[in-house]
Amino acid sequence: VTVDVIRQVYFPNIFSPNEDALNDRFYPFADNLVTSIVEFKIFDRWGDMVFEQYNFNPNDYDKGWDGTRNGKLLNSGVFVYYAIIEFRDGAKKIFKGDVTLKR
């Protein structure tokens, strides 16, 4: 018997940090099978890290990226994310992709 475990984690593909209280931060959404976001990093198109956060709960707006680097607003563009997610069964999985920052 083979059991397929479905890992429910969602990363938006666009966000707009314009302080309108809608999609102002980029962060992973997950169901209750996720225990921790072990590592969450954002990189620009040249590979420079613009954001990092470690060991936080899923669905935590305050731990998300606000579209800045060192307190300065970044221009619209496509950025790459990398995350290590830990699940209740102890498994860890890497998620990676891209997100568009829209000003």
Side-chain angles (χ1 to χ4, degrees):
V1 174
T2 303
V3 176
D4 285 334
V5 178
I6 298 173
R7 308 287 184 187
Q8 295 288 341
V9 179
Y10 170 72
F11 292 85
N13 61 4
I14 190 168
F15 78 117
S16 59
N18 58 6
E19 299 182 23
D20 66 355
L22 299 171
N23 299 315
D24 285 338
R25 292 196 181 229
F26 175 66
Y27 57 98
F29 294 86
D31 62 17
N32 62 358
L33 297 178
V34 172
T35 58
S36 176
I37 311 301
V38 177
E39 186 175 321
F40 184 47
K41 295 181 178 181
I42 311 289
F43 301 89
D44 66 17
R45 63 182 170 173
W46 296 281
D48 295 325
M49 187 167 47
V50 297
F51 176 82
E52 63 184 328
Q53 190 70 257
Y54 298 93
N55 300 312
F56 63 98
N57 293 324
N59 310 315
D60 189 342
Y61 175 87
D62 293 328
K63 300 294 183 179
W65 180 44
D66 63 0
T68 64
R69 179 180 188 182
N70 298 326
K72 296 183 180 182
L73 297 177
L74 292 173
N75 292 326
S76 295
V78 177
F79 295 81
V80 174
Y81 67 83
Y82 172 90
I84 300 174
I85 312 290
E86 184 172 8
F87 295 86
R88 289 204 187 279
D89 64 2
K92 291 182 182 176
K93 185 173 178 186
I94 294 173
F95 291 84
K96 51 190 171 182
D98 59 72
V99 61
T100 300
L101 181 153
K102 176 75 172 132
R103 291 270 176 216

